[in-house]
Amino acid sequence: NHVGWGLLTAFTERWHPETGTFHLPIGEMTITLDDVSCLLHVLISGKMLNHVGKSCTIEEGKDMCEEFLNFNRAGCQEEFEKMKGAHIGFRKLQDIYHDNLNQALQAENNQEAPDVAWIMVHFKRFGMHFIEENYTHKDPVAAKFYPLKSGKILDETRTALDRMEVDEVTFCPYEDHRQTRPF
């Protein structure tokens, strides 16, 4: 589920956090809640970690925070005590986001490959590489992809993004996944 650092950098340069969009020559694109649901199988309705019909214990909440948010268990326990349950406040979620962003930027500087399955689903040019037959629609869509060991340098990736045509973008990438994750 990894993309080369050059591709991550090229997309990061086009990200505008004020609007939550990527500015590309073909127009603006946004990571939607549908993307989050289909790619990661993270529920997007109800309170964080306390979804209708899916209550979770504090331990299950810590497991989810650790797995999906890269948020350590000690910090999670502290936040849960403050929120009086398996919930995370917006301010803390924003802090977690910034911490993860800084780690991604550090990984970029060290030429490591962070997890960016969203790019793989929407942009065929950058590799719709599927995992062997073991993938099922019960798995998150992000599980379809092999880790890429992209040798492309940043300038090549920037050029590829700048030359992208509208027909190279998949605007409804989850249609075959709808039975598992309804829109």
Side-chain angles (χ1 to χ4, degrees):
N1 300 338
H2 292 30
V3 177
W5 68 271
L7 182 58
L8 177 64
T9 300
F11 270 90
T12 303
E13 291 172 346
R14 289 157 174 81
W15 176 253
H16 290 262
E18 313 82 46
T19 58
T21 58
F22 290 97
H23 289 234
L24 302 169
I26 58 167
E28 294 180 2
M29 288 192 73
T30 302
I31 297 175
T32 65
L33 289 176
D34 188 40
D35 293 319
V36 172
S37 176
C38 287
L39 288 169
L40 304 175
H41 280 198
V42 174
L43 297 174
I44 57 174
S45 60
K47 292 182 177 180
M48 175 69 172
L49 303 179
N50 188 21
H51 304 289
V52 177
K54 297 228 181 202
S55 61
C56 69
T57 66
I58 297 292
E59 286 305 310
E60 290 171 329
K62 287 180 191 177
D63 291 343
M64 285 190 244
C65 284
E66 193 170 47
E67 182 179 352
F68 297 122
L69 299 176
N70 194 31
F71 186 34
N72 69 53
R73 297 179 79 77
C76 194
Q77 177 65 36
E78 185 178 313
E79 182 68 9
F80 285 0
E81 287 172 6
K82 181 176 136 192
M83 298 300 292
K84 296 182 171 90
H87 310 288
I88 298 176
F90 178 75
R91 176 66 62 199
K92 178 51 83 175
L93 200 55
Q94 193 173 29
D95 291 343
I96 293 168
Y97 167 79
H98 287 292
D99 290 345
N100 286 329
L101 177 61
N102 289 334
Q103 287 177 12
L105 293 173
Q106 184 178 3
E108 175 189 324
N109 291 336
N110 295 334
Q111 296 187 5
E112 295 172 13
D115 189 15
V116 193
W118 182 84
I119 295 169
M120 308 299 278
V121 173
H122 286 279
F123 301 96
K124 292 178 184 172
R125 177 179 287 212
F126 298 108
M128 292 284 287
H129 301 286
F130 294 96
I131 291 181
E132 69 276 357
E133 312 81 53
N134 293 339
Y135 173 78
T136 68
H137 287 294
K138 291 181 181 178
D139 299 321
V141 174
K144 285 183 179 181
F145 304 103
Y146 283 120
L148 289 182
K149 295 180 174 94
S150 173
K152 288 187 176 182
I153 58 175
L154 181 57
D155 288 337
E156 290 174 353
T157 307
R158 283 181 183 135
T159 302
L161 272 178
D162 291 341
R163 292 183 178 163
M164 188 180 309
E165 300 290 329
V166 173
D167 63 346
E168 294 181 78
V169 179
T170 305
F171 290 98
C172 297
Y174 314 118
E175 293 307 316
D176 62 342
H177 201 68
R178 286 287 168 232
Q179 63 202 29
T180 305
R181 289 289 182 194
F183 183 58

